[in-house]
Amino acid sequence: MTDAGQNIESVLQEDRKFPPSSEFSAQANISSEQQYLEMWNKGKDDPAGFWGELAKENLAWFKEFDSVMDGEMPETKWFTGGKINASYQCLDRHLTGPRKNKAAIIWEGEPGDQRILTYQQLHHEVCKFANVLKKLGIETGDRVTIYMPMVPELAIAMLACARLGAVHSIVFGGFSADAIADRNHDAESKLVITADGGWRRGKEIPLKATVDEAMEKSPTVENVVVYRRTGGDVNMVPDRDYWWHDLMEDVDADCPAVELDSEHPLFILYTSGSTGKPKGVLHTTAGYMLGATMTSKWVFDLKEDDTYWCTADIGWITGHSYITYGPLSNGTTSLMYEGAPNWPDEGRFWNIVEKSQVNIFYTAPTAIRAFIKWGDQWPSQYDLSSLRLLGTVGEPINPEAWMWYHKVIGNEKCPIVDTWWQTETGGIMLSPLPGVTATKPGSCTKPLPGVVPAIVTEEGEPVTEGGGLLVMTQPWPHMLRTVYGDHDRFIETYFSKFDGKYYFAGDGARIDDDGYYWVMGRVDDVLNVSGHRLSTMEVESALVAHDNVAEAAVVGFPHELKGEGICCFVTLKSGDGSDEEKEELKQHVRKQIGAIATPDKIKIAPALPKTRSGKIMRRLLRDIAAGRDVSGDVTTLEDNTILEKLREDD
Ligand code: 7RM
């Protein structure tokens, strides 16, 4: 415990280790430590050679690139001179061989309807819809907003944009009219693609009505295309709004993919920081596609006959990279589900796993904590023996949630890949390789080949003990290229902290004696108790290890003596938390990690405030813990009533 006040101190002890079985390793795409090390060292010492070879082998080029990387981070350009198309990479390439009639998308709607699209069929639909876009005047470089439920047409719309080189900007279907209008405005979108509605817990979410409201403040948007999903009433504005199915009647399926420059923009995805307006993270074609392709193959160990399911919404980066682009580029069968995990009951996901014999399952810690709360009786009703690999993404996973996932879902035989990455990184950066890495619950383990991270102090010096700031010391092909329309903000947010030398991720992390990375959460969330910088995640993990705790969020509040006191918001599995139980939880944390981390306050929370992608919003809890009014942006909050309820428990 040296250097208090500078480094983040680690107080959580986790010694369990789970090596992959020899059977898993024998069949894995990367199958030995030696192979990993060779790849990793090459990626570090000769990045151009490393990525250049992979790009030649794994991407389909109309014209091969002249150079692999030009310029220093953050302005590195990749695969200059090359001509490529992401839609061609995901579709056309597969049509000349045995994948032609293979399922590209297995889709299940919330009401129970199902569709399967083969690669040939998906290609056909994408070509037709690309011709629809052309008819509506969409050209290479134009921006198109997509606001849709989780239906195959969402993937069709994105691949059709990519086919023409139109830049898609997907807005998650839970966002408000104002959020759509802001994004339309910022990207100067010409077109919005939406649906009448989507299904969520048996109710219709009226998407078109929300778009109508957004259209009042979206002067750049000329047309709206509406896919009929629910059959609900919608108001169609003449000469502005068109039905998807009407437009598809008048086009043919002949639409060659446009040959685009490697650095042609593929998409913008808005991500909200803790303050200010959302940033339009821009990804470009070749580099992003190489990242999505290789990381899918390495981390998910994709094989020709796998059924792969990522439960994210395509409206988030996880869905972009690991439902659409990565899996389809690899010719994988990607499963897509429209609705809620607890509809019609809490067994829905496991019903889908059994029915479709899912082999690879990728979800978020917030979902896993919900499964635990709902109880083992749900997964235990289903045959989950098809599963061979499990993954998590989005937040640090508490070790006890990891253990539950390992035992109850994985039957102790599936490797778990805890994948650390960001919208900005485009693809997975730190993760176990399932055939190589012995996993430790709560650690995202090691950098993937081509990724060279470090943990540094505020001054950019290497941290030797405890935690520090997670940075990337080398550019990678799938890194964001800019914040759309605001390059200064791009430099300022990610590169100014270390004078352009490193990419700063905004997360705190530590490395253990085996060289494993442990992400400790956003740096903004770190607690400072009596001069000790503690990770909120470690205190939360201690709480979640208690039998009756389903979920916990820990924040600091102003404390006369300690600087910051520790306030824990706790969701219980049962009961409403007596004073004795609160005291027991305090003692439990004290016992697990030591006196320094003893909570000052325990507040029982019926639920925690989360972003729409499921991340706990500690910023809001800090205001509540300090007795302040909640300040700053709350538009990304999933459920607004939660804050009121939390204020009541004082
Ligand atoms: C993919 C995604 C990025 C932030 C990131 C972290 C947190 C994501 C993990 C994680 C610990 C993980 N993109 N995060 N994955 N923290 N372990 N495996 O989530 O742009 O929406 O969020 O999410 O704080 O910086 S994102």
Side-chain angles (χ1 to χ4, degrees), residues 271 317-318 392-397 418-424 444 505 507 519 521-522 613 615:
T271 171
I317 189 68
T318 304
T392 74
V393 59
E395 286 180 294
I397 181 165
D418 174 351
T419 64
W420 179 90
W421 59 294
Q422 306 177 296
T423 304
E424 294 86 342
C444 59
D507 283 357
V519 173
R522 303 296 296 169
S613 65
K615 297 188 211 292

Side-chain angles (χ1 to χ4, degrees), residues 20 39 61 63 94 102 113 147 166 232 240 301 310 396 447 454 502 546-547 634 636:
M39 292 170 77
W61 297 95
K63 176 179 171 291
H94 306 312
K102 174 178 173 174
D113 41 345
Y147 182 71
R240 188 195 78 181
D301 193 47
C310 164
Y502 299 141
H546 186 278
D547 279 346
V634 290
T636 54

Side-chain angles (χ1 to χ4, degrees), residues 150-211:
M150 281 285 285
V151 291
E153 280 66 23
L154 169 51
I156 292 168
M158 60 201 295
L159 290 165
C161 286
R163 203 160 184 87
L164 304 180
V167 184
H168 58 70
S169 162
I170 305 185
V171 180
F172 170 63
F175 276 122
S176 66
D178 280 346
I180 305 169
D182 285 348
R183 286 156 178 75
N184 283 343
H185 174 75
D186 191 79
E188 296 175 278
S189 288
K190 255 174 99 171
L191 177 73
V192 174
I193 306 170
T194 188
D196 48 0
W199 295 110
R200 190 83 193 170
R201 290 191 188 93
K203 284 214 211 74
E204 190 189 342
I205 309 286
L207 299 175
K208 174 62 164 64
T210 307
V211 168

